[in-house]
Amino acid sequence: MPIDQPLTSNFDLVKTSLNSISISSSTIDQNTNIALGLSYAEATFASTTGNSAKKIIILLTDGVPTDPSDISKGTNYPTVYTENIAKEIRDKGIDIYAIGLGQDVNGDILTNISGGVDKFFPAPDTNSLSSIYSKISNSICKLQPNVIEIFSRV
């Protein structure tokens, strides 16, 4: 069952949405439009002005874009389109971390979307998500010692 959880600071709501994920064994009843999800995330950042915080997208997906489809542009169009959108977003200084959930994840596509192997995390099942989010959090929020500058006034 797909989820559609808007950006929120409500941890319990996000946790409930993540726990409701179910992975279908059939792609007939599901489509994945990663490009649209990335575009929505980018638009959310664009609507927040005056915030100097680092902009980061964490993409949770099965890693197989199936939409948008355009037969005239070939069967690989959803992948090419998604990778192009991701590159445009990364070129704007927004980092993308990709989590591939499930057994049939296409790691190559998610590595291309995220821009590197250090930002792609395979998750064979939902039980591995907590440790993956911790790894991402630790890579984003690096603890550093406080720096105090002392100026001598003479």
Side-chain angles (χ1 to χ4, degrees):
M1 174 171 104
I3 60 170
D4 184 8
Q5 176 58 57
L7 186 62
T8 180
S9 60
N10 183 332
F11 177 75
D12 291 331
L13 186 60
V14 172
K15 190 174 177 181
T16 300
S17 293
L18 288 174
N19 287 334
S20 72
I21 295 173
S22 66
I23 302 171
S24 173
S25 60
S26 168
T27 58
I28 294 171
D29 58 349
Q30 296 187 66
N31 289 307
T32 304
N33 192 336
I34 296 172
L36 183 61
L38 292 173
S39 296
Y40 280 161
E42 180 190 15
T44 299
F45 289 132
S47 68
T48 59
T49 58
N51 188 342
S52 63
K54 179 71 177 150
K55 293 171 176 55
I56 296 168
I57 295 171
I58 300 177
L59 169 69
L60 176 64
T61 180
D62 62 4
V64 183
T66 56
D67 274 342
S69 60
D70 186 340
I71 301 298
S72 68
K73 295 182 180 178
T75 56
N76 200 32
Y77 177 71
T79 298
V80 172
Y81 181 75
T82 299
E83 290 174 348
N84 289 338
I85 291 292
K87 183 176 181 331
E88 289 174 15
I89 291 170
R90 290 191 323 270
D91 286 348
K92 293 177 183 177
I94 300 172
D95 287 343
I96 301 173
Y97 289 83
I99 302 171
L101 181 61
Q103 299 297 323
D104 298 323
V105 170
N106 189 322
D108 292 336
I109 293 172
L110 291 180
T111 298
N112 291 339
I113 290 170
S114 65
V117 293
D118 60 325
K119 293 185 179 172
F120 163 61
F121 298 86
D125 55 46
T126 57
N127 295 326
S128 56
L129 291 176
S130 180
S131 66
I132 290 171
Y133 280 112
S134 291
K135 288 176 187 175
I136 293 171
S137 175
N138 289 335
S139 72
I140 294 168
C141 306
K142 297 183 190 282
L143 293 177
Q144 298 178 353
N146 291 331
V147 176
I148 300 172
E149 293 185 35
I150 301 173
F151 297 99
S152 173
R153 294 184 184 197
V154 181

